[in-house]
């Protein structure tokens, strides 16, 4: 018997907003590389997460939820999805087990099937669905398209994530190892820092504010006392939003900072001193130059 060839490839996670794509990415790599939240359109960039096994490597590409765009930012997010769809070896198409399959899912399914790339359908959040809900959902998934497999998963609990990984490895072509052993993401550190701050801001704000928030890391200082000093700016679109994000007597901004610092210290294994400021960048979601400056 000859040696097994090395298998490797790119797999994108696709679905409408909030189905759990980023949660699944984190479950695969075993670390937070993508932020998650209950608010739709959390993810704004194609984030790579890598898992390396014995004789294989999967490079996952988490994508923004595909949706009907209302702003230039929304259009950009959809462009990111369509772009990644063209360059992957396999696709994980995701549905939410707790939500009826609707036109949003049909729209995404069509985009996936049009690529003629092997696609596995994941029905996520099985932990939150009753059996009477899950069975018809799996049937609805089958009617949506011609999937290689349909598998119920709980990204939050890790149920069936290993099985899904095995199915994906089978789809990979022969290839080379793209990333060194142990590397789980190519996301620059400064981007991850800003994203963690944005995640906390999303958790603590509501209505239109989560969509209006962008965060940029301004400066990171490795201090002599081993503390990592991070300066970041939270951008909002209007003066009124600035007041809300800062909060009464600065309480909101302080809470965002405390939560972010705790996560960052845990992620980096280092003490962190986090300095946040809030700035208005008027209507940045619709402004091409502002989008560019904010990395979108
Ligand atoms: N109960 C349950 N909740 C989940 C599961 N997976 C994700 N969630 C929750 O669903 C919400 C959305 O998860 P995300 O991972 O941010 O979803 P997403 O598809 O990346 O969303 P966008 O980036 O906005 O497109 C979060 O509140 C998650 O905690 C799961 O398996 N079970
Ligand atoms: Mg996401």
């Amino acid at each position: 018997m000859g040696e097994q060839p090395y298998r490797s490839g790119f797999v994108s996670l696709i679905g409408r907003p909030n189905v759990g794509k980023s949660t699944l990415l984190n479950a695969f790599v075993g670390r937070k590389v993508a932020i998650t939240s209950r608010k739709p359109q959390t993810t704004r960039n194609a984030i790579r997460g890598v898992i390396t096994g014995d004789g294989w490597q999967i490079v996952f590409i988490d994508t923004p939820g595909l949706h009907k765009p209302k702003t230039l930012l929304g259009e950009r997010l959809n462009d990111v999805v369509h772009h990644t769809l063209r360059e992957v070896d396999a696709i994980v198409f995701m549905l939410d087990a707790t939500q009826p399959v609707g036109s949003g899912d049909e729209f995404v399914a069509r985009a996936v099937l049009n690529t003629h790339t092997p696609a596995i359908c994941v029905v996520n959040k099985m932990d939150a669905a009753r059996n009477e809900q899950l069975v018809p959902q799996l049937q609805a998934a089958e009617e949506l398209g011609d999937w290689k497999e349909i598998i119920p998963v709980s990204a939050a609990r890790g149920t069936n994530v290993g099985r899904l990984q095995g199915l994906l490895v089978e789809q990979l072509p022969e290839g080379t190892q793209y990333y060194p052993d142990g590397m789980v993401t190519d996301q620059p550190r400064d981007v991850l820092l800003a994203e963690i701050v944005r995640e906390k801001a999303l958790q603590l704000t509501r209505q239109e504010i989560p969509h209006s928030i962008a965060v940029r890391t301004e400066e990171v200082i490795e201090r002599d006392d081993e503390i990592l000093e991070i300066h970041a700016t939270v951008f909002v679109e209007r003066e009124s939003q600035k007041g809300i994000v800062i909060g009464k007597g600065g309480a909101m901004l302080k809470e965002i900072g405390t939560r972010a610092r705790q996560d960052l210290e845990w992620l980096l294994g280092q003490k962190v001193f986090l300095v946040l400021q809030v700035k208005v960048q008027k209507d940045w979601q619709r402004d091409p130059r502002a989008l560019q400056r904010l990395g979108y």
Side-chain angles (χ1 to χ4, degrees), residues 13-115:
L13 307 175
I14 305 281
R16 62 175 175 71
N18 223 36
V19 293
K21 299 177 292 297
S22 301
T23 307
L24 183 60
L25 179 75
N26 294 338
F28 274 127
V29 303
R31 215 199 77 187
K32 190 201 281 269
V33 294
I35 64 166
T36 66
S37 91
R38 276 191 273 172
K39 311 244 160 45
Q41 290 157 50
T42 298
T43 303
R44 291 179 182 162
N45 292 306
I47 299 170
R48 288 184 181 189
V50 186
I51 43 175
T52 310
D54 194 11
W56 57 267
Q57 181 170 71
I58 307 178
V59 182
F60 288 101
I61 307 178
D62 182 17
T63 63
L66 208 52
H67 64 288
K68 236 187 219 122
K70 293 197 198 85
T71 62
L72 187 60
L73 173 67
E75 283 172 31
R76 292 280 168 84
L77 300 188
N78 282 358
D79 288 347
V80 168
V81 183
H82 289 295
H83 183 80
T84 49
L85 272 174
R86 274 182 263 134
E87 57 178 28
V88 293
D89 302 292
I91 294 168
V92 172
F93 166 74
M94 292 180 71
L95 292 173
D96 184 330
T98 66
Q99 301 288 322
V101 173
S103 58
D105 299 303
E106 284 164 15
F107 173 68
V108 183
R110 224 172 299 129
V112 170
L113 294 163
N114 279 341
T115 63

Side-chain angles (χ1 to χ4, degrees), residues 13-228:
L13 307 175
I14 305 281
R16 62 175 175 71
N18 223 36
V19 293
K21 299 177 292 297
S22 301
T23 307
L24 183 60
L25 179 75
N26 294 338
F28 274 127
V29 303
R31 215 199 77 187
K32 190 201 281 269
V33 294
I35 64 166
T36 66
S37 91
R38 276 191 273 172
K39 311 244 160 45
Q41 290 157 50
T42 298
T43 303
R44 291 179 182 162
N45 292 306
I47 299 170
R48 288 184 181 189
V50 186
I51 43 175
T52 310
D54 194 11
W56 57 267
Q57 181 170 71
I58 307 178
V59 182
F60 288 101
I61 307 178
D62 182 17
T63 63
L66 208 52
H67 64 288
K68 236 187 219 122
K70 293 197 198 85
T71 62
L72 187 60
L73 173 67
E75 283 172 31
R76 292 280 168 84
L77 300 188
N78 282 358
D79 288 347
V80 168
V81 183
H82 289 295
H83 183 80
T84 49
L85 272 174
R86 274 182 263 134
E87 57 178 28
V88 293
D89 302 292
I91 294 168
V92 172
F93 166 74
M94 292 180 71
L95 292 173
D96 184 330
T98 66
Q99 301 288 322
V101 173
S103 58
D105 299 303
E106 284 164 15
F107 173 68
V108 183
R110 224 172 299 129
V112 170
L113 294 163
N114 279 341
T115 63
H116 303 287
T117 305
I120 291 175
C121 177
V122 163
V123 177
N124 188 35
K125 310 194 188 181
M126 65 179 291
D127 60 286
R130 294 178 319 267
N131 255 343
E132 312 88 89
Q133 212 173 3
L134 193 57
V135 174
Q137 198 74 348
L138 293 168
Q139 271 159 4
E142 205 168 310
E143 280 156 27
L144 267 184
D146 186 19
W147 315 112
K148 287 268 168 199
E149 301 269 351
I150 299 171
I151 178 174
V153 159
S154 168
R157 298 216 182 136
T159 320
N160 274 351
V161 172
R163 236 182 90 200
L164 174 60
Q165 180 183 299
L167 293 172
L168 288 168
V169 172
E170 285 173 19
Q171 302 296 330
L172 296 181
E174 222 173 286
T176 53
Q177 184 172 343
Y178 294 102
Y179 292 94
D181 290 337
M183 183 163 173
V184 296
T185 185
D186 63 354
Q187 186 171 217
R189 183 187 65 174
D190 285 7
V191 175
L192 181 66
L193 303 181
E195 284 287 272
I196 297 288
V197 174
R198 189 164 67 86
E199 182 181 67
K200 306 313 166 193
L202 293 188
Q203 280 172 3
L204 291 161
T205 56
R206 47 185 62 89
Q207 281 153 10
E208 89 294 354
I209 296 184
H211 294 295
S212 293
I213 289 175
V215 181
R216 190 172 66 199
T217 304
E218 306 292 355
E219 198 181 3
V220 180
I221 307 160
E222 307 261 6
R223 290 189 347 196
D224 290 339
D225 58 4
E226 307 270 288
I227 292 174
L228 195 67

